[in-house]
């Protein structure tokens, strides 16, 4: 795969491409390049619509190759109250969209496990996931919410948070209602890696496509470094690649 060579500049490297398909090609190439260089790497994966073009490319190119067999995958977040087998859970979603098809063993796909067994204690679920993440993943893929959230870190989240329980905002629940039979079925709480957890990754790869993300992208990259835009915390990280289509880059100066 063609891949960009992200520079370590101390400032986000911003790549603007024509459309979501082109953004997907860069994201897929960055992921597969990371794994080619380090086949036992720790990959932070995101769910949501934005990564899907990249995931489809990875599946098309890597199914049956065994290239990802030794990768450890870590999800950003998970709903509280959904079993891992619930198709709307992020654990089930990432398996069906990506990891099963590219041969990451299910036991190597890690996520917060809130609400079951020992993890009926949500604080224990958070502490265990934080411990599992250790000194952070090698590459963390991120989407961004219309309100600037990263994972489920909603506006107001301190930049140094670790894995924690969140009450989902109305915007986020409405945005995610498409994955559920009714809007009321969207869980009210989730467990998410904190902004401090996310920032421990060696390389952050944020992808955003579509005009609905333009204001959040501009706030993240050009607005105040402030908890009102959680994604502005990216600017504290030494190695960040931001992949945008033209529409998502539309409000940048
Ligand atoms: P999306 O979600 O990729 O479905 O737009 C991103 C996010 O809300 O973090």
């Amino acid at each position: 795969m063609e891949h960009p060579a992200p520079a370590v500049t101390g400032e986000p490297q911003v790549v603007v491409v024509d459309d979501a398909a082109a953004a997907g090609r860069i994201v897929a190439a960055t992921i597969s390049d990371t794994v080619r260089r380090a086949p036992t790497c720790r990959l932070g994966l995101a769910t949501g619509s934005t990564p899907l073009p990249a995931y489809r490319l990875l599946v098309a190119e890597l199914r049956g190759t065994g290239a990802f067999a030794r990768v450890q995958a870590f999800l950003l977040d998970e709903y509280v109250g959904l079993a891992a087998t619930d198709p709307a859970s992020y654990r089930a979603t990432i398996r069906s969209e990506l990891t099963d098809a590219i041969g990451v063993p299910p036991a190597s796909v890690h996520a917060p496990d809130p609400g079951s067994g020992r993890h009926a204690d949500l604080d224990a679920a958070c502490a265990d996931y934080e411990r599992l993440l250790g000194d952070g993943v090698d590459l963390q893929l991120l989407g961004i919410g219309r309100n600037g959230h990263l994972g489920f870190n909603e506006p107001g989240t301190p930049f140094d948070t670790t894995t924690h329980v969140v009450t989902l905002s109305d915007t986020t629940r409405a945005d995610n209602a498409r994955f559920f039979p009714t809007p009321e079925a969207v869980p009210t709480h989730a467990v998410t890696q904190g902004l401090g957890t996310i920032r421990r990754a060696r390389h952050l790869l944020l992808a955003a496509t579509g005009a609905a993300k333009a204001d959040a992208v501009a706030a993240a990259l050009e607005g105040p470094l402030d908890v009102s835009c959680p994604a502005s915390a990216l600017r504290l990280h030494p190695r960040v690649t931001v992949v945008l289509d033209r529409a998502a880059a539309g409000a940048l100066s």
Side-chain angles (χ1 to χ4, degrees):
M1 284 186 188
E2 284 296 304
H3 59 86
V8 183
T9 59
E11 297 216 342
Q13 178 199 28
V14 181
V15 181
V16 182
V17 294
D18 280 345
D19 53 27
R25 286 194 289 277
I26 294 176
V27 170
T30 305
I31 292 172
S32 95
D33 187 50
T34 300
V35 175
R36 196 166 42 77
R37 288 169 198 259
T40 59
C41 70
R42 290 152 60 90
L43 271 188
L45 298 174
T47 47
S49 306
T50 311
L52 289 179
Y55 291 169
R56 288 193 191 111
L57 283 173
L58 290 171
V59 169
E61 299 198 11
L62 297 169
R63 194 191 283 277
T65 64
F68 278 52
R70 290 187 292 150
V71 162
Q72 297 289 320
F74 294 85
L75 293 190
L76 271 177
D77 42 26
E78 181 58 286
Y79 291 114
V80 171
L82 299 189
T85 49
D86 188 314
S89 75
Y90 287 161
R91 288 164 288 182
T93 301
I94 203 69
R95 285 189 59 183
S96 67
E97 286 171 350
L98 181 68
T99 55
D100 281 357
I102 62 172
V104 181
S108 301
V109 179
H110 309 284
D113 179 29
S116 68
R118 156 174 160 71
H119 291 156
D121 172 354
L122 295 182
D123 290 338
C126 295
D128 284 359
Y129 197 54
E130 190 69 18
R131 202 171 307 116
L132 196 62
L133 285 159
D135 65 354
V137 298
D138 295 293
L139 175 69
Q140 177 65 58
L141 178 58
L142 298 164
I144 183 171
R146 286 187 296 143
N147 62 2
H149 75 201
L150 289 185
F152 277 131
N153 293 282
E154 304 284 17
T157 308
F159 287 171
D160 59 356
T161 40
T162 55
T163 299
H164 61 285
V165 183
V166 292
T167 303
L168 299 178
S169 70
D170 291 343
T171 349
T172 298
R173 291 186 73 227
D175 282 351
N176 291 0
R178 66 191 188 281
F179 300 111
F180 290 85
T182 62
E184 297 71 40
V186 183
T188 54
H189 292 79
V191 166
T192 185
Q193 290 189 31
L195 294 172
T197 320
I198 291 168
R199 288 169 47 210
R200 291 207 302 274
R202 247 67 71 217
H203 181 190
L204 299 176
L205 175 63
L206 177 95
T209 53
K213 300 295 175 67
D215 288 343
V217 166
L221 295 179
E222 296 179 347
L225 189 62
D226 186 75
V227 297
S228 59
C229 179
S232 66
L234 293 175
R235 282 147 52 199
L236 298 172
H237 192 283
R239 187 173 182 202
V240 182
T241 305
V242 179
V243 181
L244 307 172
D245 69 357
R246 257 208 279 270
L252 291 174
S253 58

